[in-house]
Amino acid sequence: MSSTTGAEIVRLEGVTKRFPGVLANDRVDLSIMGGEIHAIVGENGAGKSTLMKILYGLYRPDSGTIYLRGAKQSIDGPGRAVALGIGMVHQHFMLIPAFTVTENIILGHEPSRTFLNFKKVATHIGELCRKYGFSLDPGAPVSSLSVGEQQRVEILKVLYRGADVLILDEPTAVLVPQEVAELFNNLRALKAAGKTIIFISHKLDEVLEIADRVSVLRQGRMVGTVEAARTDKRALAEMMVGRPVLFDLTKPQVTPGDVLLDVSGLTVPGRGTRPVVNAASFKVRAGEVYGIAGVEGNGQTELIEAVMGLRKPIAGAVHLQGQAATGLTPGELRRRGLAFIPEDRHKRGLVLPMTIWENLILGFHRDPGFSKPSGLNLKSIMSHSNEMKKRFDIRLSRLENPVLALSGGNQQKVILAREFSHDPRVIIASQPSRGLDIGATEFVHQQILKAKGAGKAVLLLSADLEEVMSLADRIGVIYNGEIVAELAADQVTPQELGLYMTGGKRQTREGVPA
Amino acid sequence: MGVSELLASALRMSVPILLTALGAVYTERAGVVNIGLEGMMIAGTFWGAVGSFYYGPFVGVLLGMLAGMLLALIHAVASVTFKINQIVSGVAMNILAAGLTRFLCIQFFSMATTSPQVHSFKAWSIPLLDQVSFLKPVVTGVSPLIVVALLLVPVTYYVLNRTVFGLRLRSVGENPLAADTLGVNVTLTQYAGVLISGALAGLAGTYLAVEHTGMYIEGMTQGRGFIALAAMIFGNWAPVGAMWASFLFGLSESISFRVVASKIPYQFIKMIPYVVTLVVLAGVIRRATPPAADGVPYERGGE
Ligand SMILES: Nc1ncnc2c1ncn2[C@@H]1O[C@H](COP(=O)(O)OP(=O)(O)OP(=O)(O)O)[C@@H](O)[C@H]1O
Ligand SMILES: [Mg+2]
């Protein structure tokens, strides 16, 4: 397939897609030029993923036309899209962890129809890796790869199928800064080779860095397309949200009070002989945000699970409001005033097929306000749910819909509404703004700072350095399961944090408060 | 009773379990649980006997496999196309097979529970090996179907790991959404997996009737379809593992035939294979890793 740099390669006209109760795409027009990096931005639920799934043949539009290289096409399935040179890397990876890199790449597009010749395939994949500067071991099982590497497998999958047009749906949401830099290098190499890239992101700085042009969707409608060089963050944000957006957060000045969460010497066994969490100690006080920064997979997930009673530590103790809380069940901890915003909202935090109102009261369904002897008190639950919908600005059509029909940002708001509405004393927030648009991120950040202002203790885990630095008062850096440094947020640079996070530097033992 | 006689008997007892367990590997690696294998085996015993009675063992094998596949097709339509709960559909296949066979048995043989004696394959002796006295009981009087069953182990391994079909089959059982977006026909692949399992269970049933007993007897499968599922799980959803597990179950079965102890009631001795199954499942199942999407009907749409 020849690349057609400079000429229009994809054109969408009047594309409309309706889901029960929502108009996800409303007469959308979009023009993509060959060889450009074209970003698509918009709030959660604006219809970005839906539009891309239509282009990739996963959804059929209700109306509208798609032109490819000037010719009208009906894309009735991903197979057709691939044949037309379109490839997509999904927001949620579509990999098979039990398969090797090679098996994942060739699946569905095997070089022969009958037998697998792994040697031949390996050479081909090696060539692709060299051409675009990807580093990967083709024989490694995908379950052993880091998130950044898994993403490279996804991109290779698309390239292996000979795609000219690559759709990347929020590729940076799961990456740490170093991985983002590597991804951008790969994307630049692809662009130099004449590939066209459609790039979805909520991080406007990234969009402005990598994209040539930016299209903005708002509530299913195309607001417009601008040149990246001729716009800025504020202008884009205003196009997305429809009102000016504030980017500066002011931390409320609170004098920290009593220690509400005290974790000391917590050690969690790992798969092998090394513990995944090794003698982690820190204290979070009332009116304080304590950030834990670290590259994903350094034990932060296990640390929080151990604190939450989801995993058994072999040593160490957790104290909640001065009382021993090690080994309590999550339910007991929640009753004692601990709120939890989990990092993976699909696995924990939500029951996707259950309704929105059910998810809003999960775990609190026995509260006197929501239950009566004969069962649930639907009337009070509904009025509570409606209040939550308003207070947390959850965009939904019906409370009776399953929560899985909500966009990612609105799913997160359901969790926030549930966790914040029961007046917790300690809040554990793990990647609270992952996948959220700027409006929703701003909202989450405000809620966290408001909680701090109200004298609550907040433990914040995030892979996003900017987020940790702008919210936290103190930052503990976790590396290889150990807290290697504890720093005041206003006295540290991102570079320094990055150095601690990657193991390039550590505080001396004495430097770490016991 | 010598060790080699015991081994010979264990081998013969493990063949129907092995064949069905291999079938179970195909269907479960494609993500469809097929608890109806017992019923497909029952269909195999009856139709194998019918075919063999009228036209000889080759036609018996053919009819037995077809009967298993027909039930498998119903299971696939119900559970893959209409996404009915796979356990419910599988149980329905077992009930259907048991009832239908009795009805048909009366039609064909004017007897409700048995067929007359049917033709068997000519038994083989493995050349050279049958000269070794220790191996003699194992390698003489071997049914060709035993050889087929043993050959199917490496064949299944090869199909799963070295062919395009196997790659796609496994992908559908691990992550059907990913497979679908990559252009793999999930429905077709799952049908293939289920149909192969039906064919192999049917073959296992045919072996029991035509080769092992020489006639059809109602209830002759004695839950071996379920034991085969246990063997597949014990073997960690892989053909070689399933083979060793089947052999273990075959061995416990042949031991239960040979234990002659007057003190212990005979019913308890008959229980040995089932107790072994329970113990093995209770002990091992925690370490086993099923395909990630095993038993979950695949529906398109959504993120
Ligand atoms: N399969 C579906 N069934 C019902 N509604 C859906 C489905 N997929 C998306 N929607 C709805 O369509 C709208 C657009 O969703 P879409 O996923 O395209 O948003 P998005 O812009 O990608 O948001 P995000 O930034 O959160 O990923 C949302 O209101 C969402 O709830
Ligand atoms: Mg999306």
Side-chain angles (χ1 to χ4, degrees):
Chain A
M1 250 166 268
S2 70
S3 62
T4 39
T5 311
E8 183 179 69
I9 187 160
V10 176
R11 179 177 190 79
L12 303 181
E13 270 181 19
V15 168
T16 300
K17 176 75 190 174
R18 188 184 294 277
F19 288 114
V22 243
L23 195 54
N25 289 146
D26 185 6
R27 287 161 290 160
V28 173
D29 298 331
L30 177 65
S31 159
I32 310 277
M33 308 301 275
E36 74 168 335
I37 298 183
H38 193 118
I40 297 182
V41 297
E43 289 184 285
N44 292 124
K48 306 178 294 292
S49 298
T50 304
L51 190 67
M52 290 304 112
K53 285 179 182 171
I54 288 174
L55 179 56
Y56 189 58
L58 282 172
Y59 292 151
R60 299 301 308 270
D62 298 335
S63 62
T65 18
I66 301 173
Y67 298 90
L68 239 92
R69 301 178 191 83
K72 188 173 158 178
Q73 298 288 354
S74 141
I75 304 179
D76 51 10
R80 181 82 191 120
V82 169
L84 290 167
I86 301 172
M88 178 159 179
V89 175
H90 295 270
Q91 196 167 354
H92 300 281
F93 290 163
M94 299 270 188
L95 291 173
I96 299 175
F99 279 21
T100 64
V101 169
T102 305
E103 287 177 329
N104 266 288
I105 291 176
I106 62 172
L107 176 63
H109 208 260
E110 300 83 358
S112 105
R113 302 194 65 140
T114 47
F115 299 107
L116 294 170
N117 181 348
F118 282 110
K119 238 187 234 140
K120 211 169 100 195
V121 177
T123 0
H124 185 175
I125 293 173
E127 268 164 32
L128 279 177
C129 285
R130 263 192 304 285
K131 190 164 163 202
Y132 301 112
F134 286 64
S135 57
L136 265 182
D137 168 14
V142 161
S143 56
S144 73
L145 302 185
S146 73
V147 179
E149 289 169 322
Q150 292 185 20
Q151 185 167 65
R152 264 170 260 158
V153 178
E154 285 282 22
I155 297 175
L156 273 176
K157 241 160 82 176
V158 167
L159 293 172
Y160 178 82
R161 285 158 175 73
D164 288 329
V165 180
L166 279 80
I167 305 168
L168 303 175
D169 195 350
E170 293 195 41
T172 58
V174 289
L175 302 184
V176 295
Q178 287 86 340
E179 288 174 328
V180 172
E182 182 161 359
L183 171 69
F184 282 5
N185 283 336
N186 294 148
L187 293 186
R188 288 194 188 98
L190 289 168
K191 182 183 162 179
K195 306 278 182 195
T196 308
I197 293 159
I198 306 179
F199 176 87
I200 297 179
S201 175
H202 288 299
K203 299 183 185 159
L204 297 181
D205 292 316
E206 289 176 1
V207 165
L208 292 170
E209 181 190 337
I210 192 81
D212 299 307
R213 294 195 300 155
V214 187
S215 290
V216 182
L217 279 173
R218 191 201 309 154
Q219 289 172 18
R221 295 230 177 96
M222 181 56 73
V223 181
T225 300
V226 289
E227 307 252 334
R230 297 218 192 116
T231 186
D232 62 18
K233 208 170 151 182
R234 264 167 218 285
L236 277 181
E238 195 168 335
M239 281 173 84
M240 283 166 60
V241 186
R243 63 171 166 85
V245 178
L246 303 167
F247 284 100
D248 311 305
L249 289 165
T250 38
K251 286 187 202 172
Q253 288 307 316
V254 190
T255 0
D258 299 338
V259 173
L260 292 186
L261 179 67
D262 182 350
V263 173
S264 55
L266 203 65
T267 303
V268 181
R271 285 236 187 117
T273 47
R274 275 194 86 260
V276 267
V277 179
N278 199 352
S281 302
F282 54 88
K283 293 182 169 71
V284 193
R285 295 171 181 280
E288 183 186 48
V289 178
Y290 187 97
I292 291 189
V295 177
E296 204 155 325
N298 272 282
Q300 46 272 72
T301 308
E302 292 81 3
L303 170 65
I304 292 314
E305 286 181 356
V307 172
M308 275 307 297
L310 293 164
R311 203 179 261 268
K312 237 187 158 122
I314 43 169
V318 179
H319 285 83
L320 190 63
Q321 304 192 59
Q323 290 180 328
T326 330
L328 292 184
T329 63
E332 184 59 29
L333 287 165
R334 289 160 72 85
R335 272 191 290 284
R336 295 197 187 179
L338 188 65
F340 182 39
I341 300 162
E343 60 174 7
D344 184 341
R345 52 186 169 244
H346 286 179
K347 240 196 282 184
R348 304 201 191 282
L350 292 174
V351 183
L352 290 172
M354 279 168 65
T355 65
I356 297 165
W357 67 261
E358 283 169 329
N359 273 284
L360 276 170
I361 60 157
L362 268 185
F364 298 107
H365 49 282
R366 287 184 198 283
D367 279 16
F370 299 144
S371 66
K372 48 186 182 183
S374 60
L376 290 175
N377 184 347
L378 283 181
K379 218 166 125 199
S380 85
I381 292 174
M382 284 307 161
S383 77
H384 168 80
S385 299
N386 276 312
E387 191 199 318
M388 288 300 116
K389 174 185 159 185
K390 252 185 250 125
R391 215 172 103 199
F392 288 86
D393 187 30
I394 308 171
R395 309 264 169 89
L396 52 83
S397 48
R398 287 168 66 241
L399 282 167
E400 281 78 19
N401 282 350
V403 84
L404 62 86
L406 293 179
S407 76
N410 285 302
Q411 291 179 0
Q412 186 74 337
K413 285 182 185 171
V414 169
I415 297 183
L416 283 173
R418 183 182 65 217
E419 298 298 316
F420 278 66
S421 63
H422 291 269
D423 196 30
R425 299 284 297 145
V426 177
I427 296 163
I428 298 181
S430 204
Q431 321 289 355
S433 62
R434 172 177 289 172
L436 299 199
D437 64 47
I438 42 164
T441 303
E442 184 193 21
F443 181 82
V444 171
H445 289 174
Q446 275 168 358
Q447 293 294 321
I448 288 176
L449 291 180
K450 219 159 99 188
K452 172 193 166 175
K456 302 180 192 308
V458 181
L459 178 62
L460 169 74
L461 277 92
S462 178
D464 181 351
L465 283 190
E466 214 179 303
E467 176 166 63
V468 181
M469 293 185 62
S470 63
L471 293 177
D473 302 296
R474 288 186 299 142
I475 300 172
V477 182
I478 190 166
Y479 174 72
N480 247 335
E482 285 179 60
I483 307 247
V484 292
E486 195 173 274
L487 311 145
D490 48 9
Q491 285 164 17
V492 66
T493 60
Q495 284 70 25
E496 204 183 343
L497 268 183
L499 217 51
Y500 282 118
M501 281 166 67
T502 48
K505 195 176 166 191
R506 65 181 295 157
Q507 276 175 344
T508 51
R509 271 269 160 233
E510 301 81 69
V512 187
Chain B
M1 168 189 60
V3 173
S4 33
E5 280 83 9
L6 183 67
L7 284 182
S9 141
L11 177 66
R12 284 157 180 74
M13 295 314 301
S14 52
V15 163
I17 299 172
L18 172 59
L19 282 168
T20 311
L22 289 176
V25 168
Y26 282 98
T27 175
E28 298 233 352
R29 289 304 280 270
V32 184
V33 172
N34 186 355
I35 211 164
L37 285 172
E38 172 78 9
M40 294 165 203
M41 214 168 167
I42 292 175
T45 55
F46 176 74
W47 286 101
V50 169
S52 198
F53 180 73
Y54 289 107
Y55 306 103
F58 278 103
V59 178
V61 165
L62 202 69
L63 277 190
M65 289 176 76
L66 277 176
M69 282 172 86
L70 188 68
L71 278 179
L73 183 66
I74 303 175
H75 180 55
V77 170
S79 62
V80 178
T81 304
F82 292 107
K83 314 206 187 305
I84 289 168
N85 183 300
Q86 296 171 5
I87 304 291
V88 172
S89 164
V91 169
M93 291 312 110
N94 290 338
I95 298 171
L96 179 67
L100 208 56
T101 329
R102 175 169 259 241
F103 168 73
L104 291 170
C105 193
I106 299 170
Q107 302 298 308
F108 274 89
F109 301 123
S110 317
M111 289 180 281
T113 55
T114 56
S115 75
Q117 190 78 24
V118 302
H119 308 284
S120 302
F121 282 104
K122 198 167 156 294
W124 292 351
S125 282
I126 313 293
L128 295 181
L129 289 182
D130 59 3
Q131 303 302 313
V132 187
S133 70
F134 173 74
L135 287 176
K136 202 160 185 178
V138 182
V139 296
T140 50
V142 178
S143 157
L145 291 187
I146 295 183
V147 179
V148 169
L150 290 176
L151 281 179
L152 275 174
V153 176
V155 166
T156 301
Y157 177 86
Y158 189 86
V159 166
L160 285 179
N161 296 298
R162 291 285 179 272
T163 68
V164 173
F165 170 71
L167 184 75
R168 293 183 169 206
L169 189 88
R170 287 185 290 130
S171 75
V172 164
E174 292 284 346
N175 187 345
L177 180 63
D180 189 14
T181 55
L182 292 171
V184 175
N185 189 331
V186 175
T187 308
L188 204 67
T189 310
Q190 291 191 325
Y191 265 76
V194 178
L195 285 179
I196 293 174
S197 77
L200 290 180
L203 182 61
T206 307
Y207 169 84
L208 269 179
V210 173
E211 295 293 280
H212 199 72
T213 333
M215 64 193 294
Y216 161 79
I217 306 166
E218 184 176 65
M220 70 190 306
T221 55
Q222 290 184 312
R224 285 191 185 86
F226 299 113
I227 294 182
L229 283 173
M232 180 260 325
I233 293 171
F234 188 27
N236 211 358
W237 284 264
V240 178
M243 178 185 76
W244 293 119
S246 302
F247 192 73
L248 173 74
F249 291 135
L251 186 66
S252 62
E253 223 176 303
S254 57
I255 288 175
S256 79
F257 280 135
R258 276 146 197 266
V259 174
V260 212
S262 51
K263 291 269 166 56
I264 310 166
Y266 140 92
Q267 284 85 351
F268 281 91
I269 291 167
K270 291 292 278 183
M271 276 163 59
I272 292 175
Y274 307 98
V275 173
V276 169
T277 310
L278 271 179
V279 169
V280 158
L281 276 186
V284 170
I285 203 158
R286 251 168 292 152
R287 273 192 290 123
T289 43
D294 201 9
V296 188
Y298 171 61
E299 259 164 298
R300 247 194 200 178
E303 270 191 350

